[in-house]
Amino acid sequence: MLRNLDDLQNYAIRATDGVIGHVKDFYIDDQSWVIRYFVVETGSWLASRKVLVPPSAIGSPDWQRRILPASITREQVKNAPQIDTEKPVSRQHEIDYLGYYSFPPYWGSMGLFGAEARRNQLMPEFVSTPSVIQPQADGVPAGASAARHNDDVHLRSRDVVMGYHVHANDGEIGHVQSLLVDEQTWAIRYLIVNTSNWWLGHQVLIAPEWIHDVSWSDRMVSLDLTRQKVKDAPPYDSAFQMDRVHETSVYQHYGRMAYWVKEQVPDTTRATSPR
């Protein structure tokens, strides 16, 4: 099922021994368009710090009670490395942070989360004490050494992306209204684009793979689509639950292969070990 990121704000993050805070923002990978971290405001119990929780730590959500269970403890959160969420999060910060929690790095591996991690994979019945990924000889956590010298920042705040201008290949069509995320994989499946500054307040869905370029300095998203194609697209209405029938109509309109079909196609590029 798809969820609007607007609806996930203020969800409680419940550690194994109590609530640690509420979701205030999300860090999105601007290359793979997947949520890498939930930004959590801890509240008064920890001097209102903001901490990061990766999706691989999240178990099965309680949608009715608006709770996301996490495989961490309040003590772990209290002693975790400090990260200033008001500044770009560097790869070195991520190495330190993920290493502290023993979460696998997502870069340099197959899959959305990297290292083949998936939601619920890291959900033990109880996690009592923090452990650290075994370092290599140079002191860098295993699996992260290749990324140590590549400190390009690819994490973008959801709050920052909202309002970005969206351009087709023949002119502007609107702005980013919100994002739809897959609750099973935490992948961003669609940008909700509001065309009110161009055409009748129409809302349409744009899949990330149709994005040609993102200019973060100009706050602009460029699409590999024409304005007319976007104008004729099936409208999106947030009052109705997005279903596979509507998704299919969107992909058929644009003449593109749907993501759920792509994800079933075997990866012929993956190397196989000799027997």
Side-chain angles (χ1 to χ4, degrees):
M1 183 180 293
L2 302 180
R3 302 272 176 179
N4 191 315
L5 278 192
D6 292 347
D7 298 334
L8 290 176
Q9 288 189 316
N10 292 317
Y11 265 53
I13 299 291
R14 187 184 65 206
T16 58
D17 53 354
V19 172
I20 63 172
H22 294 80
V23 177
K24 294 302 179 185
D25 196 4
F26 309 86
Y27 275 137
I28 299 167
D29 190 318
D30 68 10
Q31 292 185 319
S32 60
W33 287 90
V34 64
I35 293 176
R36 293 302 185 193
Y37 301 100
F38 296 87
V39 181
V40 181
E41 174 70 59
T42 60
S44 59
W45 80 275
L46 197 56
S48 294
R49 274 176 54 187
K50 287 184 179 178
V51 298
L52 305 182
V53 177
S56 52
I58 301 297
S60 298
D62 185 337
W63 300 114
Q64 290 187 336
R65 298 171 60 193
R66 298 175 61 85
I67 294 175
L68 300 176
S71 60
I72 53 180
T73 68
R74 286 164 64 98
E75 188 67 19
Q76 282 181 290
V77 173
K78 181 178 179 180
N79 297 321
Q82 295 274 358
I83 289 183
D84 187 350
T85 58
E86 301 302 319
K87 298 179 181 178
V89 177
S90 72
R91 182 52 53 84
Q92 186 58 54
H93 285 143
E94 290 191 85
I95 290 172
D96 294 341
Y97 208 78
L98 295 174
Y100 169 79
Y101 283 111
S102 291
F103 294 141
Y106 57 82
W107 50 86
S109 301
M110 297 291 184
L112 290 175
F113 296 126
E116 299 295 351
R118 287 294 184 271
R119 201 186 77 192
N120 300 328
Q121 182 176 326
L122 302 175
M123 284 293 297
E125 293 183 4
F126 184 79
V127 182
S128 56
T129 57
S131 57
V132 178
I133 294 176
Q134 291 299 316
Q136 296 178 350
D138 59 1
V140 178
S145 58
R148 183 183 58 182
H149 303 295
N150 181 12
D151 228 18
D152 292 339
V153 178
H154 293 291
L155 299 181
R156 307 290 172 176
S157 163
R158 174 262 177 206
D159 288 350
V160 170
V161 176
M162 294 304 97
Y164 270 33
H165 296 283
V166 181
H167 285 246
N169 53 30
D170 54 353
E172 184 175 353
I173 63 171
H175 63 273
V176 178
Q177 181 78 32
S178 190
L179 304 168
L180 291 181
V181 63
D182 189 323
E183 68 176 45
Q184 293 299 318
T185 64
W186 300 116
I188 303 299
R189 295 303 187 188
Y190 302 100
L191 285 69
I192 302 175
V193 177
N194 190 324
T195 66
S196 59
N197 53 339
W198 167 57
W199 182 61
L200 300 177
H202 202 57
Q203 286 190 354
V204 296
L205 299 179
I206 298 296
E209 58 262 35
W210 307 335
I211 294 175
H212 174 68
D213 181 56
V214 179
S215 174
W216 302 107
S217 58
D218 296 330
R219 295 178 55 83
M220 184 173 71
V221 177
S222 299
L223 307 178
D224 185 23
L225 300 167
T226 65
R227 299 178 92 200
Q228 189 63 45
K229 198 68 174 177
V230 174
K231 182 178 180 180
D232 295 338
Y236 171 72
D237 187 345
S238 59
F240 296 94
Q241 177 63 52
M242 187 73 175
D243 58 22
R244 188 50 55 83
V245 173
H246 191 176
E247 287 191 89
T248 299
S249 68
V250 171
Y251 274 90
Q252 288 178 342
H253 168 75
Y254 288 110
R256 308 295 178 97
M257 181 183 292
Y259 64 84
W260 59 88
V261 176
K262 287 182 180 179
E263 291 171 358
Q264 293 177 354
V265 176
D267 184 0
T268 57
T269 64
R270 181 180 298 187
T272 56
S273 301
R275 294 182 181 274

